[in-house]
Amino acid sequence: MIQIKQDERGVATSLKIDGVELAAYVSEFSLNQKGGEIPELRLTIHEPNIEIELPQGIVIIEREDCPLNSAHDR
Protein backbone atom coordinates (compact mmCIF):
# COMPACT_ATOMS: atom_id res chain seq x y z
CA MET A 1 0.00 0.00 0.00
CA ILE A 2 1.24 3.51 -0.84
CA GLN A 3 0.39 6.34 1.59
CA ILE A 4 1.20 9.98 0.83
CA LYS A 5 0.32 12.65 3.39
CA GLN A 6 0.56 16.40 2.93
CA ASP A 7 0.31 19.50 5.08
CA GLU A 8 -2.23 22.30 4.66
CA ARG A 9 -0.07 23.89 1.92
CA GLY A 10 -0.10 20.69 -0.15
CA VAL A 11 3.53 19.82 0.63
CA ALA A 12 4.14 16.09 1.05
CA THR A 13 5.17 15.31 4.62
CA SER A 14 5.10 11.52 4.53
CA LEU A 15 5.64 8.80 1.93
CA LYS A 16 5.06 5.25 3.12
CA ILE A 17 5.21 2.06 1.12
CA ASP A 18 3.82 -0.96 2.96
CA GLY A 19 4.17 0.95 6.24
CA VAL A 20 7.84 1.87 5.70
CA GLU A 21 8.50 5.64 5.90
CA LEU A 22 10.71 6.79 3.00
CA ALA A 23 10.29 10.58 3.12
CA ALA A 24 13.74 11.10 4.67
CA TYR A 25 15.40 9.40 1.67
CA VAL A 26 13.23 10.64 -1.20
CA SER A 27 13.97 14.04 -2.70
CA GLU A 28 11.36 13.82 -5.44
CA PHE A 29 8.44 11.58 -6.36
CA SER A 30 5.55 11.35 -8.81
CA LEU A 31 2.60 8.99 -9.06
CA ASN A 32 1.10 8.52 -12.52
CA GLN A 33 -1.39 6.20 -14.13
CA LYS A 34 -2.48 6.05 -17.75
CA GLY A 35 -5.94 4.72 -18.57
CA GLY A 36 -6.03 0.94 -18.44
CA GLU A 37 -2.44 0.63 -17.17
CA ILE A 38 -0.96 -0.03 -13.74
CA PRO A 39 0.10 2.95 -11.59
CA GLU A 40 3.73 4.05 -11.73
CA LEU A 41 5.46 5.53 -8.68
CA ARG A 42 8.76 7.20 -9.57
CA LEU A 43 11.14 7.99 -6.69
CA THR A 44 14.39 9.93 -6.66
CA ILE A 45 16.54 8.66 -3.81
CA HIS A 46 19.89 10.35 -3.15
CA GLU A 47 21.02 8.08 -0.31
CA PRO A 48 23.68 5.80 -1.82
CA ASN A 49 23.72 3.24 1.00
CA ILE A 50 20.00 2.69 1.56
CA GLU A 51 18.72 -0.89 1.35
CA ILE A 52 15.13 -1.19 0.24
CA GLU A 53 13.14 -4.41 0.25
CA LEU A 54 10.55 -4.01 -2.47
CA PRO A 55 6.95 -5.03 -1.76
CA GLN A 56 5.49 -7.82 -3.86
CA GLY A 57 4.53 -6.59 -7.32
CA ILE A 58 6.95 -3.62 -7.29
CA VAL A 59 9.56 -3.65 -10.04
CA ILE A 60 12.45 -1.25 -10.67
CA ILE A 61 12.19 -0.30 -14.34
CA GLU A 62 14.89 2.35 -14.40
CA ARG A 63 17.85 3.05 -12.18
CA GLU A 64 20.36 5.84 -12.56
CA ASP A 65 23.40 6.13 -10.33
CA CYS A 66 24.23 9.77 -9.63
CA PRO A 67 27.64 11.02 -8.46
CA LEU A 68 27.63 12.19 -4.85
CA ASN A 69 28.72 15.72 -5.77
CA SER A 70 26.47 16.29 -8.75
CA ALA A 71 25.38 19.79 -9.77
CA HIS A 72 21.89 18.99 -8.39
CA ASP A 73 23.30 18.65 -4.85
CA ARG A 74 25.24 21.94 -4.86
Side-chain angles (χ1 to χ4, degrees), residues 6-22:
Q6 62 187 21
D7 64 15
E8 62 280 349
R9 298 173 293 147
V11 176
T13 58
S14 175
L15 173 63
K16 291 183 181 180
I17 299 177
D18 284 354
V20 177
E21 180 62 61
L22 295 175

Side-chain angles (χ1 to χ4, degrees), residues 18-35:
D18 284 354
V20 177
E21 180 62 61
L22 295 175
Y25 305 107
V26 175
S27 62
E28 183 178 333
F29 73 90
S30 63
L31 179 60
N32 299 303
Q33 183 175 16
K34 295 179 181 176

Side-chain angles (χ1 to χ4, degrees), residues 3-5 7 14 16-18 23-24 33 37-39 45 47-51 55 65-66 69 72-73:
Q3 294 177 306
I4 300 170
K5 294 183 181 179
D7 64 15
S14 175
K16 291 183 181 180
I17 299 177
D18 284 354
Q33 183 175 16
E37 295 184 11
I38 62 172
I45 300 174
E47 175 61 45
N49 298 318
I50 187 173
E51 290 186 26
D65 292 322
C66 299
N69 294 320
H72 176 74
D73 295 331

Side-chain angles (χ1 to χ4, degrees), residues 56-68:
Q56 185 175 3
I58 302 294
V59 178
I60 295 175
I61 58 171
E62 179 181 337
R63 179 180 176 168
E64 180 178 317
D65 292 322
C66 299
L68 291 177

